[in-house]
Amino acid sequence: MLENYSWKSASQIFRKKKVALVPVGSTEQHGPHLPLGTDFFIACALAESVARDTGAICAPVIPIGVSAHHKQFWGTVWVSPQTFRQYIYEIATSLEYHGIRRIIFVNGHGGNFPSLQEVSLNLRAENLYSVAYQWWTDPSVIELQRRLFKSKGSHAGAIETAMLLAIRPELVDTASYKEAAEGAAAEFGVTKFGAQLPVDTLEFSESGATLDPREATVEAGKQIFHTALESLKNLTHWLEKAKVDDLEPKAHKS
Ligand SMILES: [Zn+2]
């Protein structure tokens, strides 16, 4: 992990590697049963495992993201999308100063995604390639989720609870599962006549959770973690080996 290197040891690894992983999360409510740091704990655990296995550079985690829609729940801390985009952009350009032109944002929070995509498009126009990986939208994780759980809830539901049971079991309050499930939403957000309404979480979920965390097990969490880890490792290898031409935008049609 970058924070553990001296500048002298960092110089060795920055000269050797093309890719840096940047874990990104949030500090926001995750129902009455999961910790506020859920999203960044998961992003961090995935990025650090990949760095350990592949020798990739792993930047310190960004623990606060775009979470204003959870603000009515105690302890949620957020920044605006503008601030988040600027911060992410400057982290990327400071890594570029040390020769890194390929970045994987290991994202743990859906609210960060539009900003990460926008920053990645802007960076690409400046010949810096970045991509956001999200474990819960990874098709191989979705497929596994389908097999493991009847309940499909994402935010603070079975899948996220299982991940926490696998990586930080001491922070999961199983005694609050019932409260989470009873006040949970059937899905994340509100759709009306085909439009997604601009609502805060408290408007559709009294407990802050989605569906039922009670199906979560340590074993399921380990399977999900390893499936996501495999994808992220493959993505890291691909990006490390990719030709510059394959990462740059195409030239104008003749
Ligand atoms: Zn989450």
Side-chain angles (χ1 to χ4, degrees):
M1 302 328 109
L2 190 56
E3 62 268 39
N4 298 333
Y5 298 134
S6 67
W7 70 258
K8 212 172 148 182
S9 45
S11 75
Q12 302 301 316
I13 184 166
F14 273 87
R15 282 190 176 104
K16 258 193 270 164
K17 293 287 178 186
K18 291 197 179 93
V19 176
L21 302 165
V22 180
V24 185
S26 69
T27 299
E28 68 179 34
Q29 75 82 16
H30 272 80
H33 62 301
L34 293 180
L36 300 171
T38 290
D39 291 345
F40 83 78
F41 290 147
I42 298 172
C44 218
L46 285 170
E48 287 185 359
S49 293
V50 170
R52 260 194 304 275
D53 291 355
T54 66
I57 296 165
C58 180
V61 68
I62 298 164
I64 291 173
V66 182
S67 300
H69 50 293
H70 292 292
K71 64 178 178 283
Q72 291 87 350
F73 291 89
W74 293 94
T76 298
V77 181
W78 67 93
V79 292
S80 68
Q82 299 92 291
T83 301
F84 182 76
R85 284 195 297 267
Q86 187 64 23
Y87 192 67
I88 291 287
Y89 175 84
E90 292 184 21
I91 287 168
T93 53
S94 60
L95 286 167
E96 185 198 17
Y97 182 77
H98 300 295
I100 296 295
R101 307 185 70 84
R102 303 175 183 190
I103 292 168
I104 299 172
F105 297 115
V106 182
N107 185 32
H109 170 53
N112 295 339
F113 191 69
S115 297
L116 291 170
Q117 285 294 79
E118 192 179 322
V119 170
S120 293
L121 286 168
N122 290 339
L123 289 170
R124 195 172 183 217
E126 297 175 23
N127 293 321
L128 219 153
Y129 195 87
S130 69
V131 57
Y133 172 80
Q134 302 195 132
W135 64 274
W136 71 98
T137 54
D138 176 340
S140 52
V141 171
I142 292 172
E143 168 58 30
L144 181 60
Q145 180 185 20
R146 226 174 262 141
R147 279 189 276 128
L148 289 171
F149 308 123
K150 276 194 250 55
S151 141
K152 299 291 179 274
S154 53
H155 181 83
I159 189 168
E160 233 178 5
T161 305
M163 274 292 239
L164 255 281
L165 285 173
I167 62 166
R168 299 296 295 269
E170 75 282 8
L171 296 179
V172 179
D173 177 10
T174 53
S176 295
Y177 278 2
K178 194 167 174 279
E179 186 187 344
E182 283 173 359
E187 60 177 352
F188 196 81
V190 180
T191 307
K192 243 203 191 14
F193 307 114
Q196 238 190 322
L197 303 187
V199 290
D200 292 333
T201 309
L202 187 57
E203 290 167 69
F204 57 86
S205 173
E206 193 53 41
S207 71
T210 325
L211 288 169
D212 196 335
R214 284 175 288 194
E215 282 188 285
T217 62
V218 179
E219 195 40 52
K222 284 183 180 163
Q223 281 189 54
I224 296 160
F225 187 84
H226 284 105
T227 301
L229 195 60
E230 223 26 63
S231 293
L232 188 54
K233 257 194 244 176
N234 289 336
L235 181 66
T236 307
H237 282 306
W238 167 77
L239 195 54
E240 186 72 40
K241 293 204 160 51
K243 294 195 193 93
V244 175
D245 288 356
D246 295 336
L247 300 178
E248 282 178 350
K250 292 225 181 303
H252 197 288
K253 274 177 93 66
S254 53

